[in-house]
Amino acid sequence: MAKPPKNKTPQSPAENPEFALHSLQKEFEKSKRYDASSEQLRQFYEQMLLIRRFEERAGQLYGLGLIGGFCHLYIGQEAVAIGLQSALDGDKDSVITGYRDHGHMLAYGIDPKVIMAELTGREAGISKGKGGSMHMFSTEHKFYGGHGIVGAQVALGGGLALAHQYNEDGGLCLAYFGDGAANQGQVYETFNMASLWKLPIVFVVENNQYAMGTAVGRSSAETEFYRRGTAFRIPGMKVNGMDVLEVRQAAEIAFKHVREGRGPVLMECETYRYRGHSMSDPAKYRTREEVQDMKDHKDPIEGLKKILIEQGNSEDELKAIDKDIRKVVSEAADFAENSPEPEASELYTDVLVEEY
């Protein structure tokens, strides 16, 4: 049973004479690459490749009219979700994100079949086919969405972090948002409360450079997003989001800081989406040459593939992994296409909370 709230006014950072803004960036700069085992490297590779192949297939199904509504693909950003979520404690920690959420679900090891079934609006989907691409949940995995309102998930993440603190369960909340959402007022209200109450939360800006279609330099006065928490005395970290080992190392440092009860962390992962903002976006605000240059020189999967080959893995072995993953994705697509749609009566379920 949860403990009653303590009748004690929290001491704000400004009132604490011993307070100093701890620079996690300096600690991160000492060693920026996670020392992964051979087994971990293969796992990271397989997980990122699963997201890539899944999203490619989702794009195909959208083109065939089997996925309706909006569909935001995670292609190019795979290293962020895998690097961060591989460092979480699955029994205690919670995750919340915006509407580009398929990759985060897959990073949790959730069955691709139920995710694809949700995309196609089928009864077997993880939200019974009623959430679609943008609104997926798995309370079993402490994954709380999938939210269509830009920046709204940050405030909800603050609530999840408060619950972890109140229940003293040792968990933390990982709250993702994009560079576009970084200018939302509710984000800063949450920063303030999280810092004031020392909530166990890591705010992660997935900076994919263009928000919905406007370059960060045209929409944000401060484009170094990891600095955005400074006014609230939240330490920031700037991370190469195209390098899964760098993201994982940053996660180790940030999560340790939070678990020690030292309050929130703001992490900016600089990444890049290869496709448009959504499937309906032709992405004419950038050149094909720019996108191709990112694919050729900074692709997270190809970067890790080079490391695996240097460690003695053969091209044939890696091709076999890709073949197996393509089979998994094909089975997920077949399952989704052949699953029944929800009954009409499902329109009236999950509308009101009947029990607490």
Side-chain angles (χ1 to χ4, degrees), residues 196-211:
L196 190 63
W197 298 338
K198 291 189 176 180
L199 298 184
I201 185 168
V202 177
F203 300 105
V204 179
V205 184
E206 292 192 88
N207 179 7
N208 62 24
Q209 316 301 320
Y210 288 100

Side-chain angles (χ1 to χ4, degrees), residues 11 19 27 33 47 75 103 106 123-124 147 157 169 172 181 198 200 239 246 291-292 313 345 347:
Q11 186 182 45
F19 176 83
E27 186 177 345
R33 302 294 293 285
Q47 289 173 309
I75 298 173
L106 291 166
E123 184 181 20
H147 292 271
D169 59 17
L172 62 80
K198 291 189 176 180
V239 182
E246 187 167 323
V291 178
Q292 192 60 47
N313 294 274
S345 60
L347 286 169

Side-chain angles (χ1 to χ4, degrees), residues 80-280:
V80 177
I82 298 303
L84 289 170
Q85 288 173 230
S86 62
L88 290 175
D89 184 328
D91 295 326
K92 297 188 295 186
D93 300 331
S94 59
V95 171
I96 191 166
T97 188
Y99 42 74
R100 197 181 304 279
D101 57 356
H102 317 159
H104 304 93
M105 296 284 284
L106 291 166
Y108 253 141
I110 297 171
D111 188 350
K113 290 181 179 179
V114 299
I115 301 175
M116 195 70 86
E118 186 60 38
L119 288 176
T120 54
R122 306 306 169 110
E123 184 181 20
I126 199 158
S127 294
K128 301 179 184 178
K130 298 188 289 184
S133 170
M134 299 198 294
H135 306 104
M136 298 193 192
F137 283 74
S138 175
T139 53
E140 177 189 353
H141 291 84
K142 295 182 175 61
F143 181 84
Y144 295 97
H147 292 271
I149 304 300
V150 176
Q153 73 276 13
V154 181
L156 295 172
L160 290 168
L162 180 60
H164 286 305
Q165 184 186 74
Y166 182 84
N167 293 321
E168 298 181 350
D169 59 17
L172 62 80
C173 176
L174 184 62
Y176 294 94
F177 59 106
D179 49 285
N183 296 320
Q184 289 283 325
Q186 58 199 324
V187 171
Y188 297 95
E189 294 175 20
T190 308
F191 282 1
N192 185 53
M193 288 188 287
S195 183
L196 190 63
W197 298 338
K198 291 189 176 180
L199 298 184
I201 185 168
V202 177
F203 300 105
V204 179
V205 184
E206 292 192 88
N207 179 7
N208 62 24
Q209 316 301 320
Y210 288 100
M212 286 186 69
T214 303
V216 293
R218 296 184 62 203
S219 60
S220 297
E222 172 58 275
T223 58
E224 299 287 352
F225 292 99
Y226 74 103
R227 296 176 179 172
R228 295 286 187 100
T230 305
F232 305 97
R233 304 196 178 201
I234 298 175
M237 302 178 72
K238 186 174 185 177
V239 182
N240 177 9
M242 303 299 275
D243 183 339
V244 69
L245 297 180
E246 187 167 323
V247 177
R248 176 58 188 266
Q249 182 68 1
E252 295 285 327
I253 295 170
F255 294 178
K256 180 176 182 291
H257 176 94
V258 172
R259 293 193 198 283
E260 288 174 350
R262 301 163 76 180
V265 172
L266 174 61
M267 183 187 300
E268 176 187 357
C269 291
E270 291 190 302
T271 185
Y272 197 86
R273 56 171 167 76
Y274 295 164
R275 301 289 183 92
H277 172 70
S278 69
M279 287 298 296
S280 60

